Amino acid sequence: MRILAGRSGRWERMLRSGRSRGCLSLLAGALPALAFPATSLWWLAGVGLVPWLLLVRSAGTGRRAALEGWLGGTGYMLAVHQWLMPSLHVFIVVLAALLGLLWAPWGLLVFRTLAGAVSAPAAGRALVVVPCGWLMIELARSWEALGGPWGLLGASQWQVAPALRVASVGGVWLVSFVVVAVNTAVALLFVTAAARTVAAVGLVVCALAVASTARWAPQPEEKGVARIAVVQPGVFAGADGVGRRLALSEGLTGSLAGRHLDLVVWGESSVGVDLARHPDVTARIAALSRRVGADVLVNVDARQTDRAGRTGIFKSAVLVGPDGLTGDRYDKMRLVPFGEYIPARSVLGWATSLGRAAGEDRLRGTRQVTMSVPGADGGKGLRIGPLICFESAFPDMSRRLTRDGAQVLIDQSSTSSFQHSWAPEQHASLGALRAAENGRPVVHATLTGVSAAYGPRGARVGAPLGTDTRGAAVFDVPLATGTTLYVRLGDWPLQGAAAVLVVFCAVGAGRSLRRRGRAGVPGGAAAGPVVRSGS
């Protein structure tokens, strides 16, 4: 008993220390990152926020709660982006701290809803309002200039079939909402008896809602198969690395002859020259197309000129057929901050001296493109929607391609700079979410792994090519017809969350004004007797 009392006393002293609370906030915020690949402790997402929620609840003041929200957000950003440290070095800490500020209002929101003796109605509000606040953070983070939607909490559930069904209804946003609601309910179990009852009901409601969605949500009907090959040449360093990579990609592609393919996909930056200005390289790829009997989707990272006459470095998905360039080209629209361009370069250009930041800004494409690919052996053609690198993290881009008629979503990527980190597996896992959201198969093709394919319900197709593999793989990808509710309705969870928060804030402001009115208006309860002049 004395030992337990001593430990309890030390814990209480720690919670009274501002420095200790700050460190605990950083660690608590980082904890949910373990739910993502490569650790893939997906179940941890359901309780990983609980320590952070309980810590903020005990903050004592709204100001302290906002601070601990910021520190926890900083920890979360550092944990889900830790693989960027070799490229950005200490600058990643600065970026994480700036992005962590998005969680400061959320910390205040958690404090307002969970602090003190939480009544049953207050617990019910918390189960809705706290997840809505989290969604607003994910919406803000999804702006490309703030780094893009990497590490959205719902994306940690990419292996969970019921969660993928939920994604087909409301995208990754609805999955995030459910995950945060579950965490909030678990946190309420440690609060008051009234809150525990509401929390238990909330957990049951979440379970029933997910089960009902998994059973009844409309799903596209699988119809037909496309045979798509992925070529993964691996890492090539040195001045002649681009040429050696191209040569090996040619050899691997040639080995696919006779496989009755519909398409061959190379990874991001697989070609280092403008094919329009290097007909010799184009002719070599066209010869490969004739040999394997399928078009080859390559990715060019070079100085080029687009249709508008702009000249600069573009990253482009280019389709090459048996007769050469088909005319189908997609220029990457959403670039990686610091990796492919430096925001406000005149101010932040010094970042190039700290790591592998972009020495020259890439130019952006202006529109998304769907491409037509002839079928194998003269069969019916295939419509593909190309994405490049972390564009697969943006739900709206895949949805747009699906609405434009894409039957297969193709993501060309390269994570060679982060080969021995969590990044390759985490990036590949996003394909499962995009497939489930849109009811369309996704092929994630990389230079150096992980390359993978997913069916229209998000289930993995075949065996992936890991980061230790140089080779080619053929995936028999199921095609599908019909659309999901997410494709039809779009980002309705975000709109609903914003509406809930507006109502919550309006009601809170109204109550505050009424309290002030009762305290200060003559004739109010606290105004005292009214003295009249005259008789």
Side-chain angles (χ1 to χ4, degrees):
M1 292 297 291
R2 290 179 179 176
I3 294 175
L4 291 176
R7 289 178 178 175
S8 176
R10 284 195 297 271
W11 178 249
E12 290 177 359
R13 287 193 297 272
M14 183 180 295
L15 289 180
R16 286 196 296 268
S17 166
R19 182 175 298 178
S20 297
R21 290 185 67 96
C23 294
L24 288 173
S25 297
L26 283 167
L27 293 174
L31 181 62
L34 296 176
F36 293 92
T39 48
S40 293
L41 303 176
W42 61 267
W43 51 268
L44 184 62
V47 294
L49 293 177
V50 173
W52 189 7
L53 289 168
L54 294 177
L55 189 64
V56 173
R57 160 184 150 78
S58 66
T61 66
R63 183 176 180 179
R64 182 72 205 185
L67 174 63
E68 291 174 0
W70 169 49
L71 291 173
T74 301
Y76 184 78
M77 287 288 92
L78 281 172
V80 297
H81 292 94
Q82 44 81 21
W83 46 272
L84 282 173
M85 289 183 182
S87 295
L88 298 182
H89 301 299
V90 70
F91 197 63
I92 186 61
V93 178
V94 178
L95 289 176
L98 291 174
L99 290 171
L101 288 170
L102 294 171
W103 274 270
W106 184 75
L108 181 58
L109 181 68
V110 170
F111 182 73
R112 297 289 190 199
T113 54
L114 295 183
V118 181
S119 65
R125 286 193 296 271
L127 285 175
V128 177
V129 172
V130 171
C132 287
W134 186 277
L135 284 194
M136 292 300 96
I137 299 170
E138 293 198 335
L139 173 61
R141 285 209 300 119
S142 296
W143 185 32
E144 177 197 343
L146 292 182
W150 188 274
L152 300 183
L153 191 57
S156 66
Q157 304 303 291
W158 68 280
Q159 298 181 85
V160 184
L164 293 175
R165 286 294 191 94
V166 171
S168 75
V169 174
V172 66
W173 318 111
L174 188 56
V175 182
S176 288
F177 180 92
V178 173
V179 170
V180 180
V182 169
N183 276 274
T184 306
V186 174
L188 286 168
L189 293 175
F190 296 91
V191 180
T192 62
R196 283 194 287 274
T197 301
V198 174
V201 172
L203 289 171
V204 172
V205 169
C206 286
L208 290 176
V210 171
S212 299
T213 300
R215 182 173 179 83
W216 301 111
Q219 293 291 312
E221 180 182 353
E222 293 187 6
K223 188 175 182 180
V225 173
R227 302 206 81 196
I228 299 178
V230 170
V231 171
Q232 182 174 294
V235 177
F236 283 92
D240 61 343
V242 174
R244 291 190 294 131
R245 182 173 61 212
L246 177 61
L248 182 56
S249 296
E250 290 179 277
L252 292 172
T253 302
S255 70
L256 297 169
R259 301 290 297 272
H260 304 288
L261 302 174
D262 292 291
L263 179 68
V264 178
V265 184
W266 291 8
E268 179 187 13
S269 304
S270 49
V271 177
V273 297
D274 180 4
L275 292 177
R277 297 181 180 178
H278 290 79
D280 55 326
V281 178
T282 303
R284 287 159 56 184
I285 300 173
L288 288 172
S289 175
R290 293 192 295 271
R291 183 174 176 183
V292 301
D295 285 7
V296 182
L297 185 69
V298 301
N299 192 275
V300 176
D301 185 0
R303 194 169 301 279
Q304 306 173 71
T305 301
D306 69 355
R307 290 184 175 87
R310 296 180 301 161
T311 298
I313 301 177
F314 289 90
K315 283 196 174 183
S316 308
V318 179
L319 193 63
V320 181
D323 299 321
L325 297 175
T326 65
D328 284 328
R329 167 179 160 178
Y330 165 65
D331 297 325
K332 186 176 184 181
M333 296 173 62
R334 296 184 181 172
L335 304 177
V336 179
F338 297 96
E340 294 170 340
Y341 79 103
I342 297 195
R345 181 177 284 272
S346 60
V347 178
L348 300 176
W350 54 269
T352 58
S353 63
L354 296 180
R356 295 192 292 266
E360 178 181 347
D361 291 349
R362 267 57 174 174
L363 298 186
R364 302 172 186 273
T366 57
R367 63 187 180 91
Q368 289 190 258
V369 175
T370 57
M371 303 178 180
S372 296
V373 178
D377 300 324
K380 185 179 178 181
L382 188 67
R383 294 285 293 176
I384 63 171
L387 299 163
I388 300 175
C389 192
F390 95 138
E391 289 182 331
S392 66
F394 292 85
D396 65 301
M397 297 194 74
S398 298
R399 179 173 176 259
R400 174 61 185 269
L401 290 171
T402 302
R403 291 174 68 89
D404 288 346
Q407 296 172 280
V408 181
L409 303 173
I410 307 287
D411 181 45
Q412 296 174 298
S413 177
S414 170
T415 51
S416 55
S417 298
F418 317 105
Q419 193 73 351
H420 303 293
S421 71
W422 293 0
E425 291 190 46
Q426 191 173 346
H427 195 183
S429 71
L430 295 175
L433 269 297
R434 302 292 87 86
E437 287 170 344
N438 296 282
R440 295 293 181 268
V442 171
V443 175
H444 181 76
T446 74
L447 288 180
T448 59
V450 174
S451 296
Y454 303 90
R457 298 192 180 192
R460 181 169 272 169
V461 175
L465 294 176
T467 55
D468 57 347
T469 301
R470 287 181 173 175
V474 177
F475 298 103
D476 289 319
V477 178
L479 302 178
T481 59
T483 55
T484 63
L485 287 176
Y486 176 69
V487 171
R488 297 178 207 169
L489 303 177
D491 299 327
W492 63 266
L494 295 176
Q495 298 158 7
V500 166
L501 291 175
V502 167
V503 171
F504 177 79
C505 292
V507 171
R511 288 175 178 171
S512 178
L513 289 174
R514 285 195 297 272
R515 284 195 298 268
R516 291 180 183 178
R518 285 194 298 269
V521 174
V530 177
V531 178
R532 297 178 183 274
S533 61
S535 59

